[in-house]
């Protein structure tokens, strides 16, 4: 099953119960259809870049959370329609990371680009960065 990431902005509330319930219902939908939830991160309450209207209510701040999960591609349509109808959800986006593990995890040999300080001996020449005040 492909690995996906869901980033969601929910309507902010004084209690944490609505956001916990939203995460619980989203996770249970994935688990009921044979998927697996890999991780959940709560990113806190933040001010939105601009006021947003959703379900006839204006929002200026929201609770942000991030969910990583494996699921069947057909479940994404159901998940999207549930998030669209939920009055607690302001915005969301889902990103597909890859089909297989080798597409998701980076190759250790190509993980770090060249040109770092540890590569100074391999670069050759004078590796000193000069500023105008040094001249």
């Amino acid at each position: 099953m492909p690995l996906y990431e869901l980033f969601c902005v929910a309507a902010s509330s004084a209690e944490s119960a609505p956001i916990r319930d939203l995460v619980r219902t989203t996770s249970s939908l994935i688990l009921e259809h044979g998927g697996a939830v890999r991780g959940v991160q709560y990113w806190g309450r933040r001010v939105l870049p601009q006021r947003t209207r959703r379900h006839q209510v204006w929002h200026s701040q929201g609770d942000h959370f991030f969910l990583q999960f494996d699921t069947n591609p057909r479940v994404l349509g159901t998940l999207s329609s549930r998030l669209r109808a939920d009055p607690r959800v302001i915005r969301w986006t889902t990103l597909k990371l890859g089909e297989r593990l080798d597409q998701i995890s980076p190759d250790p040999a190509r993980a770090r680009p060249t040109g770092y300080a540890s590569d100074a001996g391999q670069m050759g020449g004078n590796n000193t960065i000069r500023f105008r005040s040094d001249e």
Side-chain angles (χ1 to χ4, degrees), residues 21-64:
D21 187 47
L22 179 61
V23 171
R24 189 176 298 125
T25 57
T26 304
S27 300
S28 67
L29 172 71
I30 294 164
L31 294 173
E32 287 170 1
H33 289 89
V37 176
R38 301 279 179 189
V40 178
Q41 295 177 359
Y42 176 68
W43 287 6
R45 181 172 295 128
R46 298 177 185 208
V47 176
L48 299 176
Q50 62 187 22
R51 277 181 15 152
T52 303
R53 186 176 170 142
R54 185 77 178 165
H55 297 286
Q56 286 96 31
V57 178
W58 286 98
H59 303 277
S60 59
Q61 58 181 342
D63 289 321
H64 296 64

Side-chain angles (χ1 to χ4, degrees), residues 3-23:
L3 178 67
Y4 295 97
E5 289 181 340
L6 169 73
F7 180 73
C8 184
V9 179
S12 64
S13 175
E15 302 93 29
S16 62
I19 188 80
R20 270 192 267 149
D21 187 47
L22 179 61
V23 171

